[in-house]
Amino acid sequence: MPHPQPSPLTVPAASRLAGRIRVPGDKSISHRALMLAALAVGESRVEGLLEGEDVLATAAALRAMGARIERDAGGVWTIHGVGVGGLLQPAAALEMGNSGTSTRLLMGLVASHPITATFTGDASLSARPMERVITPLSRMGADITASPGGRLPLMLRGLCPAVPIEYELPVASAQVKSAILLAGLNTPGITRVIEPVPTRDHSERMLAGFGAQVEVEETARGRVISITGEAELRPQRIVVPGDPSSAAFWLVAASIVPGSDVVIENVGLNPTRAGLVTALRMMGADIAELDPRTVGGEPVADLRVRHAALSAITVPHDLAPSMIDEYPALFVAAAFAAGRTVARGADELRVKESDRIAAMRAALEANGVSVTEHDDGLSIDGTRGDAIPGGGSVATHLDHRIAMSMTIAALHARAPVTIDDVSPVATSYPVFFDQLADLTGASA
Ligand code: S3P
């Protein structure tokens, strides 16, 4: 799962992007589908699961704790759950690869089971802060020994029965919220999370879908989410919608490369995830929603995006949680807009798979874009639609979204852009380069 062999790539410009693609399943929803199915009593089926390395890390960990998880030849996944409270002691360390979501959500699951698990990860994951989950899960009774700085590798000994807590999130984080709610599943009484700023709500939606007693209230303190344990989960059939965070690259690519016209099928448009569409439309992007529908309890549409002249904006701070993973793609859009785009209020970008503020500043600057770095974001002077100079090299720091964002930037550059390692793309979007070839005609 680590990437010992870097895989460099030089990306040339494209004349245009055209055609239809279907983005793979949503990463956040795929993790949750596997975890909740693993805790249900009986057999669940999941269609459209993202088969990226991050989600496969979750599947492997759940198998190591007793769930039976299989994939049929048609790509449908079957999960035989062990029941809430039924996770077994894993025989070896749980290898989380690059995946923060696997780590933090599974820590929540283990925290209220009478088992001990060691979590390990690659260099990127081992540099990310885990204190944000260690604090609330310790309050629930878990005994956690982490590496210095609250990092991986760490060992977590769950407590059963755990202690229900009420916890106000100090950072806007769906992972922390979800870790606590998942721990609450096997905790007697009511576990409550208060989020001052709403974050992606897939956990709440799916927990309710599996039959857990979950209540969500909007209050003066923010959204209050309560879960009653000890829950019993009923197996489900789940269809995972396409990942808006993967669609993001084509929304930006088609917007910046003249002559482009692309339809992206099956894009999840949960309002807690759709901030990039809002921001791009503010910039003048031409994005149409076709055939809006509901898939797996989530709003979905096909998106048609055509090249458009983009104008700089100041990105509203309150959009940040609903586009937190899309800032690298937005920074690329800004590089081609008319004027100076200011994207701030996103200091969480410093602790993603890489420091995405520093990584994108360096990557854009190396390719001739004028960028100012702030503690909580970037200001970017755009080209007014012209190609960027390009010709530089990009350090991806084991971060899939840096690799994909700079690949997109290269599509409208005067000289090819070299990316030091595109292997991390497999964590979230294994068919990214195939779809790029389809859309640019490079495969013809
Ligand atoms: C995720 C939540 C976000 C996001 C990550 C996936 C999730 O992280 O960046 O890619 O599935 O809950 P934070 O909770 O750290 O904001």
Side-chain angles (χ1 to χ4, degrees):
M1 214 164 292
H3 301 281
Q5 271 312 347
S7 178
L9 186 73
T10 298
V11 184
S15 53
R16 66 190 286 249
L17 286 84
R20 300 177 78 88
I21 47 138
R22 193 175 176 85
V23 281
D26 187 281
K27 182 150 76 76
S28 292
I29 295 176
S30 295
H31 284 296
R32 288 157 171 82
L34 289 177
M35 290 183 200
L36 295 189
L39 288 184
V41 179
E43 180 186 298
S44 294
R45 286 164 70 81
V46 182
E47 268 174 60
L49 188 87
L50 170 65
E51 296 177 355
E53 289 171 359
D54 282 10
V55 175
L56 298 180
T58 288
L62 292 168
R63 282 193 189 108
M65 293 189 283
R68 218 167 81 218
I69 304 181
E70 282 149 10
R71 176 192 192 276
D72 74 15
V76 176
W77 289 68
T78 306
I79 300 102
H80 293 263
V82 296
V84 170
L87 291 179
L88 303 178
Q89 173 64 45
L94 304 178
E95 173 52 64
M96 301 283 94
N98 190 254
S99 182
T101 309
S102 308
T103 308
R104 293 181 177 133
L105 272 57
L106 288 169
M107 284 174 67
L109 282 190
V110 172
S112 56
H113 279 74
I115 59 178
T116 299
T118 299
F119 293 82
T120 61
D122 72 4
S124 149
L125 184 58
S126 303
R128 298 182 66 186
M130 295 297 151
E131 210 58 68
R132 53 184 61 199
V133 273
I134 292 174
T135 301
L137 296 178
S138 302
R139 256 189 233 173
M140 294 180 80
D143 180 9
I144 303 170
T145 309
S147 298
R151 316 273 149 154
L152 258 49
L154 65 74
M155 196 174 81
L156 190 158
R157 180 180 308 133
L159 179 69
C160 188
V163 183
I165 58 167
E166 175 172 310
Y167 191 75
E168 182 165 336
L169 296 180
V171 280
S173 166
Q175 291 179 353
V176 178
K177 168 176 68 177
S178 302
I180 299 166
L181 294 175
L182 291 175
L185 270 177
N186 196 39
T187 301
I190 296 178
T191 297
R192 202 167 266 137
V193 182
I194 300 155
E195 54 174 7
V197 183
T199 64
R200 66 190 68 193
D201 61 358
H202 307 302
S203 296
E204 298 91 300
R205 287 178 188 240
M206 204 182 286
L207 280 164
F210 270 84
Q213 212 181 311
V214 182
E215 267 174 37
V216 181
E217 280 172 279
E218 306 291 342
T219 73
R221 292 170 75 192
R223 288 175 79 240
V224 179
I225 306 122
S226 310
I227 185 161
T228 304
E230 299 143 308
E232 237 180 70
L233 302 185
R234 293 186 296 270
Q236 301 294 310
R237 289 178 170 239
I238 295 173
V239 181
V240 180
D243 198 327
S245 299
S246 296
F249 303 109
W250 312 122
L251 292 174
V252 172
S255 295
I256 63 175
V257 180
S260 296
D261 186 352
V262 168
V263 175
I264 316 162
E265 297 174 354
N266 189 39
V267 184
L269 289 175
N270 179 315
T272 63
R273 296 287 299 285
L276 180 72
V277 175
T278 306
L280 287 175
R281 282 184 173 145
M282 287 172 71
M283 297 173 83
D286 178 358
I287 302 171
E289 284 170 42
L290 314 175
D291 189 17
R293 54 202 186 268
T294 302
V295 173
E298 298 270 346
V300 161
D302 300 331
L303 299 181
R304 180 176 183 189
V305 52
R306 283 177 280 193
H307 172 256
L310 301 180
S311 311
I313 58 168
T314 295
V315 181
H317 287 198
D318 60 5
L319 276 187
S322 64
M323 56 177 284
I324 194 66
D325 292 336
E326 283 65 76
Y327 277 89
L330 176 94
F331 295 150
V332 171
F336 295 90
R340 171 173 289 199
T341 293
V342 180
R344 302 193 60 170
D347 42 359
E348 273 293 298
L349 297 180
R350 297 264 183 212
V351 290
K352 295 296 179 188
E353 285 83 330
S354 68
D355 174 345
R356 288 181 173 161
I357 296 173
M360 284 303 293
R361 179 188 61 78
L364 288 168
E365 268 180 5
N367 287 284
V369 180
S370 158
V371 183
T372 307
E373 181 171 339
H374 312 287
D375 53 351
D376 60 349
L378 296 179
S379 295
I380 296 171
D381 292 306
T383 59
R384 201 175 276 277
D386 290 342
I388 57 170
S393 50
V394 171
T396 50
H397 303 283
L398 289 177
D399 188 332
H400 54 137
R401 298 201 197 283
I402 304 299
M404 290 186 277
S405 298
M406 290 310 296
T407 296
I408 293 310
L411 300 179
H412 195 36
R414 291 205 292 275
V417 173
T418 298
I419 312 224
D420 68 344
D421 184 12
V422 295
S423 62
V425 169
T427 60
S428 71
Y429 201 164
V431 297
F432 174 79
F433 287 104
D434 301 324
Q435 295 192 332
L436 174 67
D438 287 347
L439 291 174
T440 58
S443 57

